[in-house]
Amino acid sequence: MKNYKLLSKILFLVASGLFLIFAIVLFATSFESYDDGWGIDFSFNKDYSLLMFLGIALTAYTAYNLYTFIKNKELNDLPYYVFGTLAFVGAGYNLGVFFKAISKGKDYQSNQLYLYFGLVCLVLIIAILFKYLGKKKDQE
């Protein structure tokens, strides 16, 4: 059973590492520089920068999770903090992009995915909060 858990933690680390590499490649390919007449300007896709941030946090968490498993340590409340923060960042970014686009009069259809991802992240925040509070109540 211990080998199964170790293998699953290694697979999660590999998956999060691949996600991070994928996000870095997307971010790097979206990076552009151009001369606008006043100097050189740089731009990149902000969605890919968010994916890169999420990939870094997820890879760091899975690496620490593997480390604690090997050293027989407890994670305690770290998963709630990490995934709660990631869900909060995801909700804030996606809902911010959606409402900014709507306030500028842009088309709903082309921005509705941001709304849906933002709402999913809000539901995830609520689920994590209930799970965390339930764990704290059980410890008492």
Side-chain angles (χ1 to χ4, degrees):
M1 189 65 157
K2 184 171 177 150
N3 288 338
Y4 171 74
K5 286 185 178 183
L6 178 64
L7 182 62
S8 69
K9 292 182 185 306
I10 290 171
L11 288 175
F12 275 115
L13 179 60
V14 168
S16 65
L18 289 173
F19 177 77
L20 176 60
I21 291 169
F22 180 70
I24 289 171
V25 168
L26 286 175
F27 177 75
T29 57
S30 76
F31 196 79
E32 295 177 345
S33 67
Y34 54 91
D35 188 358
D36 62 358
W38 294 94
I40 297 175
D41 194 13
F42 299 103
S43 66
F44 56 88
N45 189 321
K46 293 180 185 110
D47 295 344
Y48 296 153
S49 63
L50 176 70
L51 280 179
M52 194 170 62
F53 168 75
L54 295 176
I56 290 169
L58 194 59
T59 303
Y61 168 74
T62 55
Y64 185 71
N65 189 12
L66 179 62
Y67 170 78
T68 57
F69 181 76
I70 291 171
K71 296 292 183 178
N72 291 323
K73 293 183 178 182
E74 287 291 323
L75 278 176
N76 297 328
D77 296 335
L78 184 65
Y80 300 107
Y81 301 146
V82 170
F83 292 112
T85 302
L86 293 179
F88 183 77
V89 168
Y93 175 78
N94 286 302
L95 291 175
V97 169
F98 173 76
F99 287 118
K100 182 179 177 182
I102 295 300
S103 70
K104 289 186 174 188
K106 293 187 179 176
D107 184 32
Y108 172 82
Q109 294 287 20
S110 61
N111 292 294
Q112 67 182 345
L113 217 54
Y114 290 110
L115 174 65
Y116 300 147
F117 280 125
L119 292 176
V120 166
C121 287
L122 282 177
V123 170
L124 188 59
I125 291 169
I126 293 168
I128 291 169
L129 185 62
F130 280 134
K131 185 81 171 166
Y132 177 74
L133 293 175
K135 180 183 173 191
K136 287 297 180 186
K137 187 176 181 179
D138 289 342
Q139 287 177 351
E140 291 177 355

